[in-house]
Amino acid sequence: MLMRYDNDARHQLAPWLPSPLPLSGSNQSMPDFPGLQRVCMTNHWDNYHRHWKLLDAPLRPTPETVGIFERELDLGNADVLLLGVTPELAVLGRSMLAIDQSATMISGVWAGDNTSRRAMAGNWLDLPVAQRSFDAVIGDGCLSAVDTKAARGSLFGEIARVLKPGGHAAIRVFARPETVDGLRGIEALVRAGGIENFHALKWRIAMACTTVDCDSSVDVQAVRAAFDKLFPDREALAADTGWSMASINTIDVYAGSETRYSFATLAMLVDEARGWFDQVRVVPSGSYPLAERCPLLVLGSAKLR
């Protein structure tokens, strides 16, 4: 069940929450953190928040998915760290600190701080919080927002570091299949009405363009280029599928972006997680387009090093 909050929330902000970095709108600069892809140094995330309301599953969690987060981690009395500012997840827990790499995403998407919820800009690979600070860590797609195996390992390590003894984490992942779709096969599937929405198509194309090495990364500009080659007439695509032009044009946020995503296989992600957690479970995240590629990784019994 979803938990609601407002400015009159009864729970006071937990003492471990640091003060947020000051935000002054879309021109807020971000520090250059070594080891973290420079997503905040391009226009990618500065533009991304403007399209947020046009996004749909699988890019955003559904109410069913949010309920699964709640069920798996029993978050009602938990102090929660949220990686990112996903609005659907921001209502969970007794108290929450959300950390996002982009100040612009915070100012554009976060509903606002109150006595039990706060968002701040920071580096996921060097979280600005103390060891063993949180009952739970949650995130939506955050493992795909870093673009190397090493970075994913660092992120798992930070999650393990900040969890209290007995704490758990749940991360919804975007995992490419072991046998990758061919681009022409994806095109044929669209023509046959086999892809439910544009965002499912975008993720299928991204996974098809992903490298097959340990990093499993893809340049978002390559995703847009592949889409444009497959579907040069966007209006015809909209007419054939019923998708809105506004939804289709969200892919233009990738134009000129330096950002790379990663789409490791589920087996790779589980193996990487086991380097940091004794308990690793894969839990289906609901029923929505491409949900079979977007399960939750539920993590427990952190291995502190």
Side-chain angles (χ1 to χ4, degrees), residues 175 182 270:
V270 167

Side-chain angles (χ1 to χ4, degrees), residues 11-28:
H11 302 292
Q12 295 297 310
L13 192 65
W16 38 256
L17 293 185
S19 299
L21 295 181
L23 300 178
S24 57
S26 60
N27 293 323
Q28 176 69 30

Side-chain angles (χ1 to χ4, degrees), residues 143 156 169-171 173 266 269-270 273 280-282 295-299:
L143 286 165
F156 279 127
I171 308 296
V173 302
L266 186 57
L269 292 170
V270 167
V280 179
R281 294 188 294 118
V282 176
L296 299 190
L297 277 188
V298 180
L299 313 171

Side-chain angles (χ1 to χ4, degrees), residues 130-190:
Q131 181 172 320
R132 300 185 176 186
S133 298
F134 294 90
D135 300 307
V137 178
I138 59 176
D140 193 64
C142 52
L143 286 165
S144 286
V146 294
D147 63 352
T148 65
K149 178 181 179 179
R152 293 193 300 270
S154 295
L155 183 49
F156 279 127
E158 280 294 275
I159 294 170
R161 181 182 68 82
V162 303
L163 279 175
K164 295 178 182 177
H168 290 80
I171 308 296
R172 189 169 73 106
V173 302
F174 302 133
R176 65 177 170 85
E178 296 289 345
T179 302
V180 180
D181 300 325
L183 289 174
R184 290 303 174 188
I186 294 173
E187 179 188 15
L189 196 58
V190 171

